[in-house]
Amino acid sequence: MNCRDVIMSEDYADFIVEFASNVDAFLETYKDKCPTPIGISYGTVFEPLERALPISLARHDYQSIPKLYGEVDTISVEATGALRLQNLPGLNLKGSGTIIGIIDDGIDPYHEAFRFSDGTTRILSAWDQTNQTLEPPLAQSYGSELTRETINLELTKENSELLDSLAKNSAHGTFVAGVAAGNNNEEKSFASPAPSADLVVVKLKPAKQYLRDYYLINESAAAYQENDILSAIIYMRAVAALQQRPVIICIALGCSQGPHNGSSVMGDFLNNAAGRNGIGVVVANGNEGNARHHYSGRITGESDTVEIRVAENQNGFIIELWGESPNIFSIGVISPSGEVVNRIPAKIGATFDYTFLFENTRLSVDYRVVERRSGSELIQIRLENPTAGIWKIVVYGDNILSGEYNMWLPITNFVGMDTYFLRPDPLITLTNPADASIPISVGGYNVVTGGIFIDSSRGFTTLNEVKPNFVAPAVQVYGPGIRNTYVSRSGTSAAAALTTGVVAQFMEWGIVKNNSNSMNTAEIKNYLVRGAIRSPNTTYPNQAEGADGIIVSS
């Protein structure tokens, strides 16, 4: 089997490898594992599944197992001030000369929102990771790249398998792309911030089944692999470099894994991109603020008991406990029937497996006293086929200083709304990669009421860095749907999409019109926070609205 097929095959497991900026050495070291570089210091390698299983922290580094990311959504453009920038004499900013990059579930290329008046496409290029018909992009090893010429040719056909593949199951990506940069349509009462920007789209391939099984994700949830998203970012940057144009990358995906301090591989990758001139990075903050999926604990005596209500027919989930050095934590578990797993000692690299007699639930506990990238302690608790009811995690402390720790359940899309902590903390519910330092992290608010969108994830990070940076419209935002429709959706995906279009306007003013040729994410972020509207009765910064205000404005 050649490497192009290996990458797509369900019979091979993917692992992320970090190397010391020597691509040739990486390729040589892993030459028998289809090494695929991702940037200058990361790559993906592929192992036959029979050798890779079982996936666990006992056998694999935490950062090497690709995290799975889900979609973060379930009036608007006027509130951002974008229409004023479009119509202000002397500015007329509509994103001309910029590229907006959408990394998502695809796009509907037939939709009028993405076609010029003559019927040709506004999509500059697309990488369909799910389709092997055409050649992959340069420096990539799988999927098919569709150029503008290819898309225009396919649009003239009565039936196009290539475009049908790009459009299949693309409701989320179509909406995000359209809200950011769809054509203005007076008849449909729709407008976007950047209707003159070109679009570059990556349709992510679905996560492999072995990873879905490992993370115990329900069958109906869309899930995408970390390494595929990283490769998509590289593709966006390559297209922008070839075109010599600024690019704004929108990531409306998230997950609850990691220490929530920006130290993930994804966070590192996005910080690197966002710090460069001509690149904007916008990330949705997530919709976990009301999900009850975060617990903030503190050991003041011998132990702290954390209660989790588990729903009926829950196939399972992974809980992550993160604690800062020099604190050392360990756990015990009590099932709904009262069966007790006594305190499991915290040892470097320790793994514990147990099957509950009455519940028929399998428990796996992995300790990483010092997780490699963050330096924090990680306890990963995996409950497979848990009985419905109240499960208790008893947290013990050794070498306790502050005694503070955090626990997170998976995002709502992965675990549902009916499994939750009984004493949750709505703060520090921002998703990865919204915790990355340099990208613009956007929460959501309700244009009609002026209040925060109840599901919008809250900050700050565990290092107390202010996130989100601000909030934007996220409730019943109107935008393109599949099959040439227009729909309303709620979620911070919409807030990120609107902000992406506004960032394109700034890039047009700064780089395309030669007002600030070194413009980057940090500079635009500062412009936006300075122009945000602040409530006179609210203290800033705060965990709901971020640093500087409730509305992205201009």
Side-chain angles (χ1 to χ4, degrees):
M1 188 179 292
N2 63 47
C3 286
R4 189 176 186 187
D5 293 330
V6 163
I7 292 170
M8 302 292 288
S9 174
E10 292 283 353
D11 295 326
Y12 285 80
D14 305 19
F15 294 100
I16 297 172
V17 175
E18 186 173 0
F19 53 88
S21 302
N22 189 330
V23 174
D24 291 337
F26 164 72
L27 295 173
E28 178 61 27
T29 301
Y30 298 99
K31 61 184 177 183
D32 297 326
K33 298 181 180 182
C34 292
T36 305
I38 308 173
I40 61 171
S41 56
Y42 295 99
T44 309
V45 297
F46 302 86
E47 291 269 11
L49 205 55
E50 65 267 19
R51 291 210 302 261
L53 294 178
I55 303 298
S56 73
L57 297 189
R59 304 183 69 228
H60 309 289
D61 179 71
Y62 175 76
Q63 300 291 350
S64 73
I65 305 170
K67 311 299 178 288
L68 296 191
Y69 290 74
E71 298 164 353
V72 290
D73 76 355
T74 29
I75 310 201
S76 56
V77 71
E78 291 88 348
T80 68
L83 295 186
R84 294 198 298 277
L85 289 178
Q86 289 183 9
N87 299 319
L88 197 64
L91 283 181
N92 192 31
L93 299 177
K94 298 181 179 180
S96 298
T98 69
I99 295 170
I100 286 181
I102 305 296
I103 300 173
D104 217 290
D105 60 10
I107 191 172
D108 181 358
Y110 301 106
H111 202 294
E112 63 184 12
F114 311 120
R115 300 174 73 168
F116 293 110
S117 57
D118 63 0
T120 57
T121 187
R122 287 183 51 217
I123 302 171
L124 182 62
S125 68
W127 177 20
D128 186 348
Q129 294 184 350
T130 71
N131 191 316
Q132 297 277 67
T133 304
L134 303 179
E135 288 298 310
L138 186 67
Q140 301 296 336
S141 304
Y142 63 107
S144 296
E145 183 177 34
L146 287 74
T147 63
R148 173 169 280 168
E149 292 72 22
T150 299
I151 296 172
N152 282 332
L153 178 61
E154 295 296 311
L155 284 170
T156 65
K157 298 179 180 179
E158 185 173 344
N159 295 296
S160 169
E161 293 183 2
L162 288 172
L163 298 190
D164 288 349
S165 174
L166 196 60
K168 185 179 179 181
N169 299 324
S170 68
H172 190 260
T174 295
F175 181 81
V176 170
V179 169
N183 290 329
N184 292 347
N185 188 323
E186 290 186 13
E187 183 181 343
K188 299 291 185 180
S189 300
F190 171 75
S192 78
S196 296
D198 279 334
L199 287 160
V200 174
V201 176
V202 175
K203 181 183 179 72
L204 296 166
K205 67 179 178 65
K208 292 183 178 181
Q209 188 61 45
Y210 84 93
L211 279 173
R212 296 182 68 95
D213 293 342
Y214 171 65
Y215 290 115
L216 298 165
I217 293 173
N218 68 69
E219 294 180 1
S220 62
Y224 307 101
Q225 291 182 201
E226 183 176 21
N227 50 312
D228 291 325
I229 300 172
L230 299 180
S231 294
I233 296 166
I234 290 295
Y235 174 69
M236 299 287 181
R237 293 178 58 177
V239 173
L242 183 66
Q243 296 287 326
Q244 296 185 319
R245 293 162 61 184
V247 61
I248 304 89
I249 301 170
C250 179
I251 299 181
L253 307 168
C255 78
S256 283
Q257 289 181 265
H260 290 65
N261 61 13
S263 65
S264 66
V265 172
M266 181 74 75
D268 184 32
F269 222 74
L270 289 178
N271 280 336
N272 181 279
R276 296 177 181 270
N277 295 344
I279 298 178
V281 179
V282 180
V283 182
N285 217 53
N287 302 328
E288 296 298 301
N290 196 43
R292 297 171 289 183
H293 290 163
H294 170 237
Y295 179 87
S296 178
R298 184 176 184 183
I299 303 290
T300 55
E302 181 183 353
S303 65
D304 182 30
T305 299
V306 183
E307 295 179 308
I308 304 171
R309 191 268 186 186
V310 175
E312 296 278 355
N313 302 315
Q314 177 68 256
N315 65 320
F317 49 87
I318 288 177
I319 310 162
E320 290 190 351
L321 184 155
W322 291 86
E324 295 302 314
S325 177
N327 302 288
I328 298 176
F329 300 96
S330 56
I331 67 159
V333 180
I334 304 173
S335 74
S337 69
E339 191 171 351
V340 177
V341 173
N342 290 317
R343 183 178 188 176
I344 306 164
K347 298 179 181 179
I348 295 175
T351 297
F352 176 84
D353 292 298
Y354 181 82
T355 299
F356 288 88
L357 180 63
F358 298 112
E359 275 81 10
N360 195 31
T361 298
R362 183 182 177 190
L363 167 71
S364 298
V365 178
D366 283 290
Y367 285 103
R368 288 297 174 270
V369 176
V370 180
E371 192 278 315
R372 180 174 59 85
R373 288 189 65 90
S374 65
S376 305
E377 181 185 6
L378 164 64
I379 305 176
Q380 190 181 79
I381 307 157
R382 188 175 186 271
L383 281 174
E384 185 175 355
N385 192 33
T387 300
I390 307 302
W391 285 80
K392 297 178 181 179
I393 311 294
V394 184
V395 183
Y396 301 90
D398 293 308
N399 198 39
I400 289 301
L401 188 62
S402 69
E404 296 176 352
Y405 66 92
N406 290 280
M407 297 175 71
W408 287 276
L409 287 161
I411 62 172
T412 303
N413 285 23
F414 290 170
V415 77
M417 286 292 293
D418 296 327
T419 293
Y420 50 82
F421 293 109
L422 292 187
R423 291 181 291 128
D425 181 356
L427 305 181
I428 323 179
T429 50
L430 74 170
T431 53
N432 167 10
D435 55 357
S437 179
I438 302 178
I440 299 171
S441 303
V442 189
Y445 86 106
N446 188 322
V447 172
V448 176
T449 67
I452 290 296
F453 171 45
I454 190 171
D455 292 330
S456 180
S457 291
R458 273 63 162 173
F460 299 141
T461 72
T462 51
L463 296 180
N464 214 35
E465 183 172 2
V466 176
K467 292 285 180 171
N469 297 113
F470 43 72
V471 293
V475 179
Q476 292 297 297
V477 176
Y478 187 58
I482 58 174
R483 292 185 289 274
N484 234 31
T485 61
Y486 288 83
V487 298
S488 294
R489 296 175 71 131
S490 296
T492 56
S493 287
L498 286 164
T499 304
T500 297
V502 173
V503 173
Q505 293 180 318
F506 274 88
M507 284 289 190
E508 179 188 1
W509 174 82
I511 293 180
V512 178
K513 296 192 173 184
N514 294 314
N515 289 299
S516 178
N517 290 321
S518 62
M519 184 167 276
N520 60 17
T521 301
E523 183 178 350
I524 295 173
K525 181 164 54 179
N526 285 326
Y527 278 123
L528 288 172
V529 297
R530 280 174 170 79
I533 298 172
R534 299 166 184 82
S535 169
N537 300 317
T538 302
T539 300
Y540 295 95
N542 65 74
Q543 289 93 337
E545 299 177 19
D548 292 279
I550 188 170
I551 304 173
V552 175
S553 187
S554 56

